[in-house]
Amino acid sequence: MHLEPADHLVQAGAFSIEERDAVYRAIMTRRDVRNEFLPKPVAEDVLRRILSAAHHAPSVGFMQPWNFITVRDEQRRREVWQAFSRANAEAVSLFPEDRQALYRSLKLEGILKAPLGICVTSDPTRGGPVVLGRTHNPRMDSYSTVCAIQNLWLAARAEGLGVGWVSIFNAEDLRQILSIPPDVEIIGWLCVGYVDALYERPELELKGWRQRLSLDDLIFEETWQGRD
Amino acid sequence: MHLEPADHLVQAGAFSIEERDAVYRAIMTRRDVRNEFLPKPVAEDVLRRILSAAHHAPSVGFMQPWNFITVRDEQRRREVWQAFSRANAEAVSLFPEDRQALYRSLKLEGILKAPLGICVTSDPTRGGPVVLGRTHNPRMDSYSTVCAIQNLWLAARAEGLGVGWVSIFNAEDLRQILSIPPDVEIIGWLCVGYVDALYERPELELKGWRQRLSLDDLIFEETWQGRD
């Protein structure tokens, strides 16, 4: 029997209140973790589930441009940490002088403390030269890979894992350490490990770096309504 | 009493099996919806919850660069649909001839069928000229906004709403229709509405555009391990 696409439509209404609340609990209690990682290794079945969550992200033209390089080796993570440290030393000098002391006081990564690193990459060649949906926005493939990261992050929260996204690198350093081909884009380095405590609000808010904006100020009706 | 940041650490272990399964259910059954929208208006409290989910996405340096322009007006959505149609006519000619008939047969948007459009934008100026975590990757602000979209998408699934991300536009057309300032980046147009059925697998897979890749082929250990 040949099934038409319409035969694959299945019932899909709202979740139960309990299920819905679980989804919002993951979204609202997810944190960018830097220091709360426990040393216990991440179980293989749990890692597989969070990577499968990532792999079920939306992707432009269904190109699935992502790869996941899992890094457990301590010497390799030390090289990644050194790459972060070099970039972070460059970063601090870019801030106004009155912010530099606070910037220096912030812990911005858990590369060595988390037992697992995942480098997430995006391969723009995967769907061939012309990709459905990317024709008018060349960044759609990297955006798909970012959706994969957010899926992984939320699944990790439900599994009791913390995730921290480190972006303070010169990309060429990571490329060399991990032998990533020149045409593959590096989207992020994720620090992953079990946690038993998380900040109740974003760490940068609690530590006085920036405050939460009002959602009301961010919603416009019908057209852009001017800057606040 | 002055609270130190460490006083804001709260217990955060794994979810119950039921809660975890709800998170995975949202991730695995979320679809990019084009045609299954029902005409019923989106309730204000539900819209607020999915926008709040978006607003609780991770953002580089906690800059929260996103805005959400909600568009219900039918004439305005018609202008957006016309902008899509112009871009899509350009797009089809870019594909190899043997793919053009299939491309033309695909419905790629629900701009008029969905009762609500949300244009999601990213304002690179919001955190000032130097943003913590963006110093070495200028795209981190748009990536934060993509995380907000994925949060919204998953929350919408739990609420019984479908979401479709339309990327086939010349950005300047949307900018003009919605009066978006020149320095604000347009990340995506989301079609949003209630659904009671969704495809059990991605529509582009069921309609023969591209197949699901094997997750095993996308995971590398320690370093990049060559193209498949």
Side-chain angles (χ1 to χ4, degrees), chain A residues 8 76 90 133 136 167 200, chain B residues 8 90 133 136 151 167 200 222:
Chain A
H8 293 277
R76 189 166 285 106
E90 295 166 1
H136 290 73
S167 58
E200 61 183 352
Chain B
H8 293 276
E90 296 165 0
H136 290 73
N151 267 9
S167 57
E200 60 183 352
E222 297 299 330

Side-chain angles (χ1 to χ4, degrees), chain B residues 98-118:
Chain B
D98 62 341
R99 297 283 270 175
Q100 291 188 6
L102 178 55
Y103 185 92
R104 281 182 210 276
S105 76
L106 298 169
K107 182 166 171 63
L108 297 176
E109 52 71 43
I111 297 164
L112 289 171
K113 193 162 187 187
L116 174 65
I118 304 178

Side-chain angles (χ1 to χ4, degrees), chain B residues 1-227:
Chain B
M1 192 179 76
H2 179 70
L3 287 176
E4 293 294 321
D7 298 325
H8 293 276
L9 280 167
V10 293
Q11 191 276 332
F15 287 11
S16 71
I17 299 290
E18 292 74 18
E19 288 178 303
R20 193 193 74 186
D21 288 352
V23 174
Y24 281 117
R25 184 182 169 203
I27 288 170
M28 297 298 177
T29 67
R30 177 210 53 77
R31 289 290 166 269
D32 194 321
V33 178
R34 289 92 183 259
N35 200 44
E36 288 68 48
F37 296 109
L38 305 173
K40 177 183 164 190
V42 176
E44 282 299 326
D45 59 334
V46 176
L47 175 59
R48 183 78 186 188
R49 287 199 295 268
I50 66 172
L51 290 174
S52 181
H55 187 42
H56 283 78
S59 66
V60 67
F62 200 40
M63 72 182 287
Q64 308 156 75
W66 39 70
N67 283 91
F68 310 96
I69 308 174
T70 60
V71 180
R72 293 179 180 82
D73 182 75
E74 193 173 332
Q75 178 53 32
R76 189 167 284 106
R77 285 189 288 119
R78 190 167 301 279
E79 290 173 30
V80 171
W81 179 82
Q82 286 162 348
F84 160 80
S85 296
R86 286 193 298 273
N88 202 41
E90 296 165 0
V92 66
S93 65
L94 302 175
F95 288 89
E97 271 189 36
D98 62 341
R99 297 283 270 175
Q100 291 188 6
L102 178 55
Y103 185 92
R104 281 182 210 276
S105 76
L106 298 169
K107 182 166 171 63
L108 297 176
E109 52 71 43
I111 297 164
L112 289 171
K113 193 162 187 187
L116 174 65
I118 304 178
C119 186
V120 183
T121 62
S122 191
D123 184 347
T125 71
R126 187 157 294 156
V130 186
V131 172
L132 182 156
R134 195 183 60 178
T135 51
H136 290 73
N137 185 345
R139 296 190 178 181
M140 284 306 294
D141 46 13
S142 53
Y143 292 174
S144 301
T145 303
V146 172
C147 288
I149 290 176
Q150 185 62 5
N151 267 9
L152 181 152
W153 214 330
L154 295 171
R157 176 65 193 90
E159 298 278 7
L161 292 169
V163 173
W165 180 337
V166 187
S167 57
I168 305 170
F169 293 111
N170 290 299
E172 293 315 306
D173 286 347
L174 278 190
R175 192 177 298 285
Q176 190 175 0
I177 296 166
L178 303 174
S179 305
I180 297 169
D183 54 349
V184 171
E185 192 178 352
I186 296 167
I187 304 295
W189 174 276
L190 306 181
C191 306
V192 181
Y194 290 98
V195 289
D196 55 19
L198 292 172
Y199 285 107
E200 60 183 352
R201 286 185 283 141
E203 198 168 333
L204 290 181
E205 180 183 3
L206 290 167
K207 295 184 174 174
W209 185 259
R210 260 178 83 77
Q211 296 310 302
R212 169 77 66 191
L213 302 176
S214 159
L215 178 55
D216 288 321
D217 294 340
L218 303 174
I219 303 171
F220 298 145
E221 290 187 6
E222 297 299 330
T223 58
W224 184 278
Q225 278 141 38
R227 289 247 166 70

Side-chain angles (χ1 to χ4, degrees), chain A residues 135-154:
Chain A
T135 52
H136 290 73
N137 185 344
R139 295 190 179 182
M140 285 304 295
D141 47 13
S142 52
Y143 292 174
S144 301
T145 303
V146 172
C147 288
I149 290 176
Q150 186 63 6
N151 267 8
L152 181 153
W153 213 330
L154 295 170

Side-chain angles (χ1 to χ4, degrees), chain A residues 211-224:
Chain A
Q211 294 310 302
R212 169 78 64 190
L213 302 176
S214 159
L215 177 55
D216 288 321
D217 294 338
L218 303 175
I219 302 171
F220 298 145
E221 290 186 7
E222 296 300 331
T223 58
W224 185 278

